[in-house]
Amino acid sequence: MHEYMSTAQVWGLTCPGFPEEVSRARRWTRDILRGSPLAEDAELIVSELSANAILHTASGQDSGSFHLALAVSAQVIAMSVTDDGGAGTAPKIERQDQDAEHGRGLGMVSVIAHRVVVHESDDGHTVTAELFTDLRGGGHPC
């Protein structure tokens, strides 16, 4: 294969910022990843990132929306959720104690995913979580 060729497949979905759209995003992810041993992890990650966009940003207000991108290659499954911003602060990964009622979502995502990256722009935030498909040692990083 030529060094500039890619075998990655990329899908995108834009959802209105309604709570019921989280289940739609989850179902969409499950359908794309059908048969993958990482499908359940990806579905959980997409669910958490989508819910965060709706609950903590302008995506969940009035005519807000969030965008989901899913990229799949032989090496990685990457899920990105982009929100409408307006939160005042960027999403951050925090480890909360087990009794905390809020703020545990991105921490949970960071435990499941092999890598989590938060990008901030004038238009919103994009949180990308990656699941590596080819782990030489096998299993999750934790």
Side-chain angles (χ1 to χ4, degrees):
M1 176 186 297
H2 189 274
E3 68 180 298
Y4 296 111
M5 298 294 288
S6 173
T7 58
Q9 294 180 296
V10 180
W11 293 264
L13 176 68
T14 299
C15 298
F18 304 125
E20 58 270 17
E21 293 299 313
V22 173
S23 63
R24 177 178 173 213
R26 200 172 44 241
R27 188 173 51 253
W28 179 81
T29 302
R30 183 176 53 244
D31 288 346
I32 290 171
L33 297 176
R34 186 177 316 277
S36 168
L38 297 173
E40 288 182 4
D41 288 345
E43 185 181 345
L44 180 59
I45 290 168
V46 163
S47 180
E48 184 60 38
L49 297 181
S50 299
N52 282 352
I54 292 170
L55 292 172
H56 303 296
T57 74
S59 292
Q61 300 172 1
D62 297 323
S63 61
S65 63
F66 63 95
H67 182 77
L68 174 61
L70 181 61
V72 179
S73 74
Q75 296 79 26
V76 68
I77 296 172
M79 299 134 291
S80 297
V81 173
T82 302
D83 63 43
D84 286 344
T89 60
K92 59 185 168 200
I93 300 167
E94 296 179 331
R95 305 269 190 222
Q96 301 287 345
D97 67 31
Q98 65 186 21
D99 296 328
E101 293 182 21
H102 301 288
R104 295 170 38 176
L106 278 181
M108 178 189 64
V109 168
S110 73
V111 169
I112 297 170
H114 297 105
R115 187 167 87 131
V116 178
V117 179
V118 178
H119 294 281
E120 188 172 3
S121 73
D122 292 338
D123 298 324
H125 312 96
T126 299
V127 180
T128 301
E130 297 176 346
L131 295 170
F132 301 147
T133 58
D134 184 24
L135 289 176
R136 304 273 180 233
H140 285 283
C142 58

